[in-house]
Amino acid sequence: MKSMRDFISQAEEVGQLLRIKSEVDWDLELSHIAKLNEEKSGPALLFENVKDYDSPVITSVCTTTERLSLIMGQPLDSTLVDLYEAWARLGENLIEPKWVDSAGAPCKENIMTGDDIDLFKFPVPKFYPLDGGRYYGTAHFIISKDPESGWVNLGTYRSQLLGKDKIGTQFIKGKHADIMLKKYQAMGKPMPVASVVGCDPLLFVLGAARVSAFVSEYDVAGALRGEPVEVVKGETVDLPIPAHAEIVVEGEVDADKFMDEGPFGEYTGYYSGVGTDPRNYIDVKCVTYRSNPIFWGTTVGRAVTDTHMTMALSYGANLWQQLLAMKIPGLKGVYCPPEGSGRFLAIISMKQMYPGHADQVLTAAISTEMGAYGLKTVIVVDEDIDPWDIPRVMYALAFRFQPNRSQVIKRGRSTPLDPSLPINAREITGRLLLDATIPYDWKDKPIPIELDPGMVKRVQERWEELGLK
Ligand SMILES: Cc1cc2nc3c(=O)[nH]c(=O)nc-3n(C[C@H](O)[C@H](O)[C@H](O)COP(=O)(O)O)c2cc1C
Ligand SMILES: [Mn+2]
């Protein structure tokens, strides 16, 4: 899978895509159809007739585990936990992108520069009534390069449509584009960037993934695909651009220039601030796009919809990868529920092998790079429970967890988006560690009730005779 068009044909083949031919308004209607469709785990939606526009919009690409499996090239009946395993296994062998010839690259089919640039030519949706405007960049990512090391970063940071050649940015402190922007600022230069909308969906999954600093998301995409991403040079920026991208916005961000941006309904189901804030923006110098470009958007807002599934995949996979790298014995699996956007909650299943083992795993989870930022509740269960099997996790919380013994509260770094904290005090969060295992060091463990195997066999043989189904 190299492009959004490849995804569309493969998704269509397996009945995971619906073309909507009736006219739909980009102003709230399109996003509301997508959101309600996603709440029912519906298909990916290709809106072919968007009011005022000739080109289509796609949404709901990442909403279900089946489609995430398709994107990762894994069996369609994989669970998220299976996808984490595959990610951890494949993700180690980084493959750098491959430069291909610009001439003939699909993303260069049309080029707008200077006064011709007009981002209103694309069917940019408005998502929610209280949003500050239309959001050009939701299922997009911004490419930037570290001026010191040359490390190329792909990061999904929302972009509001602020003018015909201006889109907003919001690089939260410490995010990779923020780190890079501060270096350009110190050099007295604007940061060259490119925003990509519509591409191999795996690239967007990685744009939204918390890949470690100094590692290029391009190389991880290559690792997961088992082949390099094909890239071309930008027209005005010295950055690698996916050759098969639908729409590429090239421009620069000046750390000392601001425009009013926001608010925007976040994946927490709430607005992150109270109104509009001054933020840096991309001053657009060039736009390249495929003919009949496919504009891609993702619905944020209340869980569980498209963004939450995207995050549950990459955040869970990274947590699993980082736990494995700690070489703790006995780890069986981790699950980061989409209900918590893959980042606020984690459940870990393990085989206890020594006293204190469960405590070790709990503190390890919040000490990983992934868990140290935002993860609030970690539950550890014994190996007989699959971490994704929420009814069984509830069972462990009911019958194995003991509040007098097995809970610890720690402190750590919060995300500014966590609505459980006051809007102006979101730097530090509590972290709750719940040990829902049977204590390893108990000599007298509770005796489980087993069925008699011989009797089970006999009863199964009589099942139909007894009139049971
Ligand atoms: C739809 C969507 C919108 C996002 N918007 C932002 C944003 O505006 N600012 C931000 O810092 N992170 C945002 N994120 C989270 C980042 O994509 C994520 O933290 C990622 O790790 C950033 O890339 P980096 O690790 O290379 O900095 C968003 C994620 C998604 C899925
Ligand atoms: Mn990064």
Side-chain angles (χ1 to χ4, degrees):
M1 194 179 293
K2 285 187 177 169
S3 65
M4 179 54 81
R5 295 175 198 217
D6 290 346
F7 169 81
I8 289 171
S9 62
Q10 291 184 26
E12 211 158 25
E13 245 166 59
V14 295
Q16 289 277 340
L17 182 123
L18 180 72
R19 290 175 188 264
I20 296 194
K21 305 207 182 272
S22 307
E23 187 182 85
V24 170
D25 197 334
W26 53 265
D27 189 1
L28 300 180
E29 190 177 28
L30 187 150
S31 66
H32 284 55
I33 294 168
K35 185 80 178 166
L36 295 174
N37 166 62
E38 290 165 16
E39 284 179 1
K40 299 182 206 294
S41 298
L45 300 178
L46 185 60
F47 295 90
E48 295 187 321
N49 184 355
V50 182
K51 186 167 174 267
D52 308 330
Y53 290 93
D54 295 331
S55 59
V57 175
I58 192 163
T59 66
S60 320
V61 166
C62 300
T63 315
T64 63
T65 318
E66 285 94 326
R67 291 204 286 285
L68 291 174
S69 305
L70 182 69
I71 291 166
M72 279 194 62
Q74 297 296 316
L76 293 190
D77 58 354
S78 303
T79 64
L80 273 176
V81 177
D82 296 333
L83 297 181
Y84 299 169
E85 288 280 356
W87 186 305
R89 191 175 65 245
L90 301 168
E92 299 294 328
N93 304 315
L94 300 178
I95 300 178
E96 286 183 13
K98 179 170 108 189
W99 292 95
V100 296
D101 200 359
S102 259
C107 69
K108 306 283 190 187
E109 280 171 4
N110 304 275
I111 300 185
M112 288 194 281
T113 53
D115 285 347
D116 288 341
I117 296 174
D118 184 2
L119 295 174
F120 289 95
K121 285 187 176 157
F122 301 110
V124 178
K126 179 168 180 191
F127 287 83
Y128 295 105
L130 295 183
D131 284 4
R134 298 165 76 172
Y135 269 79
Y136 176 86
T138 55
H140 85 147
F141 52 86
I142 293 177
I143 309 171
S144 55
K145 183 155 65 174
D146 184 51
E148 288 167 0
S149 64
W151 153 46
V152 172
N153 192 68
L154 272 49
T156 296
Y157 317 100
R158 76 187 193 204
S159 280
Q160 185 178 349
L161 185 56
L162 296 176
K164 71 196 229 333
D165 58 356
K166 306 264 185 297
I167 57 174
T169 63
Q170 183 203 216
F171 305 150
I172 291 173
K173 268 186 225 158
K175 298 285 178 91
H176 298 157
D178 171 65
I179 294 173
M180 293 176 178
L181 181 62
K182 294 208 163 103
K183 293 187 187 178
Y184 284 97
Q185 186 180 28
M187 294 160 66
K189 287 186 190 165
M191 177 166 81
V193 293
S195 143
V196 172
V197 168
C199 53
D200 172 355
L202 187 61
L203 288 176
F204 162 63
V205 171
L206 283 161
R210 296 240 309 275
V211 171
S212 305
F214 308 111
V215 176
S216 177
E217 287 79 1
Y218 270 135
D219 301 0
V220 181
L224 298 180
R225 279 265 168 272
E227 59 180 18
V229 179
E230 293 179 4
V231 293
V232 291
K233 278 249 174 332
E235 296 298 300
T236 59
V237 289
D238 181 18
L239 294 168
I241 310 286
H244 299 269
E246 298 290 330
I247 312 172
V248 182
V249 162
E250 300 180 10
E252 51 189 40
V253 181
D254 185 330
D256 298 310
K257 288 193 185 155
F258 299 89
M259 286 178 83
D260 283 343
E261 194 268 354
F264 179 58
E266 298 281 1
Y267 65 79
T268 58
Y270 296 91
Y271 285 84
S272 53
V274 285
T276 302
D277 287 298
R279 293 206 168 91
N280 300 128
Y281 60 89
I282 301 178
D283 197 3
V284 181
K285 304 290 184 199
C286 175
V287 181
T288 76
Y289 58 100
R290 292 184 78 157
S291 298
N292 196 28
I294 301 165
F295 191 89
W296 184 10
T298 180
T299 58
V300 285
R302 198 178 78 178
V304 173
T305 56
D306 197 58
T307 294
H308 312 94
M309 292 303 290
T310 309
M311 293 173 73
L313 169 60
S314 73
Y315 283 34
N318 280 330
L319 180 60
W320 181 232
Q321 210 173 10
Q322 292 168 8
L323 279 170
L324 289 179
M326 287 181 165
K327 306 212 184 297
I328 304 167
L331 293 174
K332 201 187 142 202
V334 70
Y335 179 60
C336 294
E339 290 77 5
S341 299
R343 71 171 312 177
F344 289 105
L345 304 165
I347 301 155
I348 304 169
S349 165
M350 64 175 294
K351 178 173 173 52
Q352 297 181 76
M353 298 161 89
Y354 42 84
H357 195 174
D359 298 299
Q360 179 192 7
V361 169
L362 285 166
T363 44
I366 55 165
S367 304
T368 56
E369 196 188 2
M370 181 58 52
Y373 179 39
L375 181 57
K376 275 199 298 192
T377 304
V378 189
I379 303 171
V380 65
V381 294
D382 287 305
E383 84 274 15
D384 61 327
I385 292 178
D386 285 317
W388 49 262
D389 190 350
I390 299 302
R392 290 284 289 157
V393 173
M394 290 294 124
Y395 160 87
L397 281 174
F399 296 112
R400 297 183 186 175
F401 173 67
Q402 172 45 247
N404 280 336
R405 174 186 69 231
S406 340
Q407 54 83 13
V408 177
I409 296 179
K410 301 240 180 225
R411 280 160 51 89
R413 180 181 175 206
S414 174
T415 156
L417 301 188
D418 184 353
S420 74
L421 290 164
I423 277 180
N424 49 9
R426 292 185 176 169
E427 309 249 289
I428 295 293
T429 180
R431 301 190 190 292
L432 178 60
L433 308 183
L434 300 176
D435 178 355
T437 64
I438 299 170
Y440 176 82
D441 37 1
W442 275 8
K443 259 211 252 45
D444 298 320
K445 296 209 166 63
I447 300 162
I449 304 170
E450 309 282 5
L451 299 185
D452 179 78
M455 188 54 75
V456 167
K457 192 159 173 278
R458 179 183 148 85
V459 164
Q460 277 169 345
E461 279 162 9
R462 294 195 62 195
W463 207 247
E464 277 178 31
E465 173 211 327
L466 297 170
L468 293 162
K469 282 197 185 127

